[in-house]
């Protein structure tokens, strides 16, 4: 009989070669990928349509009010969207939100095709679209583990699709507006939501147990508090959101208005469009890199990558030549995409599925609030200092924020969660049979102790995501 030395037992690892990665492209993920990539392409077309069509009729102030109506309803309702997604199932909420957005985009499409749409119609449809997105986005985080066995590969693949959509969408929108008018762009966007709703509906699993929140009479307030406790119990999560609030105010929010003005004035509007395209190229490369690299500490690796994002505001602030400017945009896009995938995978795999949508809603509210505040403060801040100096501050903020992320032990030491096996099969049901608990789950403590978590997604709401959900 052989004996095993204690040290050998402590170091024992599973015998044999590591298991090959689980296949990604099964029917469920293909349907989900189609739903997301088609609607992302429609979303990517809308900024151009809003800027050109609404701006031509009602000026910059009109565009700002339309965008403000969308953002306001989103921020007000996103927490409730998280609760409802956990209560009724993310897929159901996403299908309903997509169908609502068929209307919010279809009505302006008809109005533009018929002539000059009234301003109240554009504002009201934007507000309704913001409400629909608030019901949709929290569930995105919970869907990937249900349709993919490998959340990181799925997130990276969706990030590449997002980047390609933002490369192709604006150009297609500009061409369509020039040839046919804004109504066509709105109509196409409405059609993409219809396709998305159909694909998500085809993912319908067989029903399982009745939803616990409804069975136990859980109140909306109790569900919101449960989500807050779960969010607060994860130091790595709320610490990232705090850092991201600063990022939003000093970097992401003001970067577009100030950067576009400086680049456009110095090199022309075509140069700014080219720079944005290179940002998209970098995002594709970052997503492809995230498909291959699997760091043991994903948030630490993502935070290290985010040091490179400082190249973007720095190159604009220093009036870099066009080749350097384009390289900086590509580098920043790659860094942001890699961070987004690492963040999304960490959130999904270290948060219990029964509260993931609510936790994601708190994360979304914090991220969007910071960016919105930065956009609002960009104008007054530019009056206090020069745009060049402000963007230098943005570059320093990027470096300081990345250093702050790495300085937090809970972020720096959070390890990749062990594989939890495939998500539920289409025959096994959706996330309806969940156990409602009174307080933060044990999973929060295990994640803080770097012991891993459970397999679950985000691709569009993660801090740093370039994915845009643009109103009418």
């Amino acid at each position: 009989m052989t004996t095993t030395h204690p040290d050998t037992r402590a170091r024992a690892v599973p015998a044999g070669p590591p298991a090959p990665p689980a296949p990604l492209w099964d029917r469920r993920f293909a349907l989900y990928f189609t739903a997301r990539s088609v609607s992302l392409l429609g979303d990517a077309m809308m900024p151009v349509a809003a800027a050109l069509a609404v701006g031509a009729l009602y000026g910059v102030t009109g565009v700002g009010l339309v965008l403000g109506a969308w953002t306001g309803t989103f921020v007000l309702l996103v927490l409730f969207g998280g609760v409802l997604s956990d209560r009724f199932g993310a897929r159901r909420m996403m299908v309903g939100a997509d169908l609502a957005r068929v209307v919010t985009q279809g009505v302006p499409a008809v109005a533009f095709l018929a002539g000059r749409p009234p301003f109240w119609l554009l504002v009201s449809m934007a507000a309704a679209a913001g409400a629909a997105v608030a019901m949709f986005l929290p569930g995105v985080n919970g869907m990937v583990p249900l349709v993919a066995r490998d959340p990181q590969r799925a997130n990276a693949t969706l990030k590449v699709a997002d980047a390609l959509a933002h490369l192709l969408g604006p150009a297609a929108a500009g061409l369509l507006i020039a040839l046919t008018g804004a109504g066509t762009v709105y109509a196409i966007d409405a059609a993409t939501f219809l396709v998305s709703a159909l694909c998500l509906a085809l993912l319908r699993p067989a029903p399982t147990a009745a939803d616990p929140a409804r069975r136990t009479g859980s109140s909306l307030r109790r569900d919101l508090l449960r989500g807050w406790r779960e969010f607060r119990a994860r130091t790595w999560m709320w610490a990232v959101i705090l850092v991201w609030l600063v990022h939003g105010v000093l970097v992401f929010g003001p970067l577009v208005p100030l950067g576009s003005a400086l680049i456009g004035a110095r090199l022309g509007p075509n140069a700014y469009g080219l720079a944005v395209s290179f940002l998209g190229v970098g995002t594709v490369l970052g997503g492809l890199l995230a498909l291959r690299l699997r760091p043991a500490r994903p948030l630490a690796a993502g935070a290290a990558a985010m040091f490179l994002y400082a190249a973007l505001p720095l190159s604009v602030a220093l009036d870099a030549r066009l080749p350097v400017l384009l390289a900086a945009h590509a580098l920043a896009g790659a860094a942001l995409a890699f961070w987004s995938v690492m963040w999304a995978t960490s959130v999904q795999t270290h948060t219990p599925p029964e509260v993931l949508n609510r936790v994601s809603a708190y994360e979304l509210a914090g991220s969007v609030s910071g960016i919105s505040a930065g956009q609002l403060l960009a104008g007054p801040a530019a009056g206090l200092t020069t745009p060049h100096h402000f963007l230098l501050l943005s570059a320093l903020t990027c470096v300081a924020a990345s250093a702050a992320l790495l300085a937090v032990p809970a972020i720096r030491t959070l390890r990749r969660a062990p594989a939890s096996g495939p998500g539920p099969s289409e025959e096994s049901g959706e996330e309806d049979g969940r156990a409602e608990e009174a307080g933060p789950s044990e999973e929060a403590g295990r994640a803080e102790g770097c012991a891993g978590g459970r397999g679950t997604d985000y691709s569009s709401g993660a801090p740093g995501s370039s994915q845009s959900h643009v109103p009418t």
Side-chain angles (χ1 to χ4, degrees), residues 200-268:
L200 292 172
L202 291 175
L203 287 171
R204 185 192 307 273
T208 57
D211 185 89
R214 284 174 287 174
R215 186 173 63 241
T216 60
S218 177
S219 67
L220 187 66
R221 178 177 177 273
R222 179 184 173 188
D223 289 343
L224 284 170
L225 288 176
R226 169 81 194 285
W228 171 250
R229 286 195 296 267
E230 293 285 352
F231 175 79
R232 189 181 60 184
R234 291 163 174 79
T235 303
W236 60 271
M237 186 178 290
W238 60 255
V240 167
I241 297 304
L242 283 180
V243 172
W244 221 254
L245 278 169
V246 178
H247 245 294
V249 173
L250 296 179
V251 183
F252 294 128
L255 186 57
V256 171
L258 298 182
S260 60
L262 289 178
I263 296 174
R266 184 169 62 91
L267 300 173

Side-chain angles (χ1 to χ4, degrees), residues 23-411:
L24 180 64
W25 290 98
D26 58 11
R27 178 177 179 271
R28 289 176 304 166
F29 184 73
L31 284 170
Y32 186 72
F33 177 83
T34 302
R36 297 299 298 127
S37 58
V38 168
S39 63
L40 283 171
L41 180 61
D43 281 340
M45 298 169 67
M46 289 313 300
V48 175
L52 296 181
V54 179
L57 295 177
Y58 299 106
V60 176
T61 301
V63 174
L65 289 174
V66 169
L67 295 176
W70 183 91
T71 304
T73 54
F74 174 82
V75 172
L76 286 174
L77 297 177
V78 66
L79 295 181
F80 299 101
V83 169
L84 295 175
S85 292
D86 279 331
R87 182 172 291 202
F88 300 115
R91 185 193 56 81
R92 295 188 184 95
M93 295 300 297
M94 293 168 74
V95 171
D98 272 339
L99 293 176
R101 288 187 287 178
V102 172
V103 176
T104 64
Q105 303 303 92
V107 170
V110 173
F112 272 110
L113 292 172
R116 179 189 178 99
F119 186 63
W120 65 265
L121 178 68
L122 297 177
V123 172
S124 60
M125 288 297 102
V133 175
M135 299 298 109
F136 182 95
L137 275 188
V140 169
N141 233 4
M143 280 299 295
V144 167
L146 299 176
V147 300
R149 293 174 174 86
D150 188 339
Q152 180 175 323
R153 289 176 65 205
N155 287 326
T157 302
L158 291 166
K159 176 58 64 178
V160 172
D162 179 17
L164 291 174
H166 282 83
L167 277 174
L168 301 175
L175 181 62
L176 286 170
I177 288 177
L179 295 177
T180 64
T184 303
V185 179
Y186 279 88
I188 291 174
D189 198 27
T192 64
F193 291 127
L194 186 60
V195 172
S196 175
L198 177 62
C199 291
L200 292 172
L202 291 175
L203 287 171
R204 185 192 307 273
T208 57
D211 185 89
R214 284 174 287 174
R215 186 173 63 241
T216 60
S218 177
S219 67
L220 187 66
R221 178 177 177 273
R222 179 184 173 188
D223 289 343
L224 284 170
L225 288 176
R226 169 81 194 285
W228 171 250
R229 286 195 296 267
E230 293 285 352
F231 175 79
R232 189 181 60 184
R234 291 163 174 79
T235 303
W236 60 271
M237 186 178 290
W238 60 255
V240 167
I241 297 304
L242 283 180
V243 172
W244 221 254
L245 278 169
V246 178
H247 245 294
V249 173
L250 296 179
V251 183
F252 294 128
L255 186 57
V256 171
L258 298 182
S260 60
L262 289 178
I263 296 174
R266 184 169 62 91
L267 300 173
N270 290 336
Y272 180 70
L274 190 60
V276 172
S277 296
F278 269 73
L279 184 71
V281 169
T283 304
V284 172
L285 296 177
L288 292 174
L289 185 65
L291 275 171
R292 310 234 357 133
L293 297 184
R294 307 179 73 83
R297 294 178 173 85
L299 290 187
M306 279 301 292
F307 277 106
L308 302 177
Y309 195 88
L312 196 162
L314 184 63
S315 66
V316 179
L318 298 179
D319 288 337
R321 297 174 61 185
L322 184 60
V324 176
L325 191 71
L326 299 181
H329 276 74
L331 193 63
L336 186 57
F338 186 78
W339 159 263
S340 296
V341 173
M342 296 301 107
W343 167 255
T345 305
S346 298
V347 171
Q348 296 155 8
T349 55
H350 287 285
T351 307
E354 66 267 16
V355 293
L356 178 58
N357 299 317
R358 274 170 281 179
V359 170
S360 298
Y362 280 100
E363 172 216 340
L364 281 167
S367 301
V368 173
S369 298
I371 294 174
S372 299
Q375 291 171 337
L376 291 174
L377 295 174
L384 297 176
T385 184
T386 66
H388 293 84
H389 288 161
F390 193 95
L391 289 178
L392 284 175
L393 174 63
S394 297
L396 291 174
T397 301
C398 290
V399 175
S402 299
L405 291 173
L406 291 172
V408 178
I411 297 173

